[in-house]
């Protein structure tokens, strides 16, 4: 059943209606603040200042809400595995595109990526999301392995571990990056690539 | 009131007693699996296969358990700020000591560090832990700043952002490092330092 978007902040002053997108945006904040397991539909209704039935107008259940929220992170990440600039061309460029694009998805979908990264796999929806995340990780590790074989990256380190450190560094941004912070997103993106490839050591 | 350690696995076969340390070790796993907010003392008792009163023999409350668990991560991390090999000597060595020691604490106290990293600050105990964590971060950022001033690290990047990427890369290990994995801890430690300082690019 498709949801009917309610007019946002239109119907009654001080008691804005929500569409599915804004229910999602607010719910993911509550999931991240208290943990998915600890969040009830009653808590979400309280935070949104609406009745539970107003939420059920947009989603069937808490798990449905989780699935929609995780898609906000997973769909753009999965799109990277289909992206021509990451799939074809010189491997050094493919790798750099992958790193930059991952940073951009993280910044663009920060709360949803945070939710994804904290999943523990307690429900079917979570386990399915973790499977999809693993497929993206495998593709990234293949790219890193290829870059090692072609002499772009150091060969003396395990590809899987290098991949985890690389993408772990990027994932950590979910916890500390602030869009209104002192360093703009584009500069953080450059720094991630610089650190990943050349480290932070000063060079003459 | 000091807790009296019960004999581990001694009293009744198939129904082992727990001392405070093992209550803590098992509780932190449940906190990490379901989130602190979602974990009740009843759930902990169920997971441990003991009565709630058996847990209250060792700790006063769930918050007390959280405080003890967070100390397992924070005390050794705070000790780094007092460590002579990190406080004195050439800044390049101090920085390398700090990176290596942080990796070692993370590996040694992995579940407790995971708990610390996922805190949201919903309770006084959590906010106090986040304050202590911030003090450690400030000390690390000062060291990175000093290393930049002395020409050890690149100067063209914001010290705070560099610090966050460096320690974010290390923190990410909480999510993926496995003591029984293919790469031994000492090798991961070397790789973290190598990547932080020189990146993963192959060099002639």
């Amino acid at each position: 059943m498709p949801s009917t978007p309610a007019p946002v902040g239109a119907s009654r002053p001080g008691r804005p209606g929500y569409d599915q997108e804004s229910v999602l945006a607010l719910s993911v904040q509550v999931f991240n603040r208290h943990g998915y397991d600890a969040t009830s539909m009653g808590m979400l209704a309280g935070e949104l200042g609406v009745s539970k039935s107003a939420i059920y107008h947009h989603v069937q259940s808490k798990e449905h809400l989780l699935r929609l929220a995780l898609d906000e992170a997973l769909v753009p990440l999965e799109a990277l595995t289909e992206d021509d600039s990451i799939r074809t061309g010189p491997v050094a460029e493919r790798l750099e595109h992958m790193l930059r694009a991952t940073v951009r998805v993280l910044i663009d979908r920060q709360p949803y990526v945070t939710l994804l990264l904290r999943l523990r796999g307690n429900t079917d929806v979570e386990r399915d999301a973790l499977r999809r995340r693993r497929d993206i990780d495998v593709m990234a590790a293949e790219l890193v392995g290829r870059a090692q074989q072609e002499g772009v990256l150091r060969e003396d380190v395990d590809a899987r571990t290098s991949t985890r450190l690389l993408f772990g560094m990027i994932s950590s941004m979910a916890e500390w990056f602030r869009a209104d912070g002192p360093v703009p997103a584009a500069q953080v993106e450059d720094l991630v690539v610089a650190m990943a490839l050349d480290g932070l050591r000063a060079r003459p």
Side-chain angles (χ1 to χ4, degrees), chain A residues 55-121:
Chain A
I55 301 182
Y56 285 117
H57 179 69
H58 297 295
V59 292
Q60 289 136 32
S61 61
K62 191 176 88 157
E63 286 228 314
H64 182 202
L65 207 43
L66 178 64
R67 188 154 46 80
L68 291 173
L70 291 171
D71 270 343
E72 291 289 318
L74 283 164
V75 168
L77 288 172
E78 286 170 335
L80 302 186
T81 67
E82 308 288 328
D83 186 314
D84 273 347
S85 67
I86 293 170
R87 289 181 58 215
T88 59
V91 73
E93 285 172 28
R94 291 171 57 197
L95 183 68
E96 184 171 334
H97 279 300
M98 178 80 184
L99 293 171
R100 288 186 183 278
T102 306
V103 172
R104 284 198 290 265
V105 171
L106 189 141
I107 288 174
D108 191 46
R109 305 288 168 97
Q110 190 169 3
Y112 303 102
V113 175
T114 302
L115 182 69
L116 175 66
L117 292 172
R118 295 212 192 129
L119 285 192
R120 303 314 290 169

Side-chain angles (χ1 to χ4, degrees), chain A residues 182-204:
Chain A
V183 182
Q187 213 173 310
V188 173
E189 186 186 313
D190 288 343
L191 182 52
V192 165
V193 174
M195 178 167 155
L197 297 180
D198 296 312
L200 291 177
R201 196 193 295 276
R203 288 172 211 290

Side-chain angles (χ1 to χ4, degrees), chain A residues 24-190:
Chain A
L24 207 53
L26 285 163
S27 300
V28 76
Q29 288 177 24
V30 185
F31 289 159
N32 285 338
R33 196 175 326 132
H34 295 285
Y36 173 73
D37 287 23
T39 304
S40 66
M41 290 298 258
M43 278 166 73
L44 290 177
E47 292 275 346
L48 272 68
V50 298
S51 67
K52 281 205 269 184
S53 67
I55 301 182
Y56 285 117
H57 179 69
H58 297 295
V59 292
Q60 289 136 32
S61 61
K62 191 176 88 157
E63 286 228 314
H64 182 202
L65 207 43
L66 178 64
R67 188 154 46 80
L68 291 173
L70 291 171
D71 270 343
E72 291 289 318
L74 283 164
V75 168
L77 288 172
E78 286 170 335
L80 302 186
T81 67
E82 308 288 328
D83 186 314
D84 273 347
S85 67
I86 293 170
R87 289 181 58 215
T88 59
V91 73
E93 285 172 28
R94 291 171 57 197
L95 183 68
E96 184 171 334
H97 279 300
M98 178 80 184
L99 293 171
R100 288 186 183 278
T102 306
V103 172
R104 284 198 290 265
V105 171
L106 189 141
I107 288 174
D108 191 46
R109 305 288 168 97
Q110 190 169 3
Y112 303 102
V113 175
T114 302
L115 182 69
L116 175 66
L117 292 172
R118 295 212 192 129
L119 285 192
R120 303 314 290 169
N122 293 326
T123 62
D124 283 343
V125 171
E126 291 171 76
R127 283 186 287 273
D128 183 55
L130 288 175
R131 252 191 307 275
R132 289 165 69 188
R133 196 183 142 194
R134 247 185 326 265
D135 288 343
I136 301 164
D137 288 348
V138 166
M139 178 270 196
E142 279 169 5
L143 185 53
V144 169
R146 175 72 76 95
Q148 290 185 311
Q149 283 160 26
E150 295 194 16
V152 171
L153 293 185
R154 298 170 52 163
E155 263 196 299
D156 59 336
V157 286
D158 175 65
R160 191 92 193 173
T161 306
S162 303
T163 308
R164 282 175 163 155
L165 283 173
L166 279 174
F167 290 90
M169 177 174 65
I170 295 174
S171 298
S172 80
M173 292 179 59
E175 303 292 335
W176 59 261
F177 180 77
R178 296 287 166 269
D180 59 357
V183 182
Q187 213 173 310
V188 173
E189 186 186 313
D190 288 343

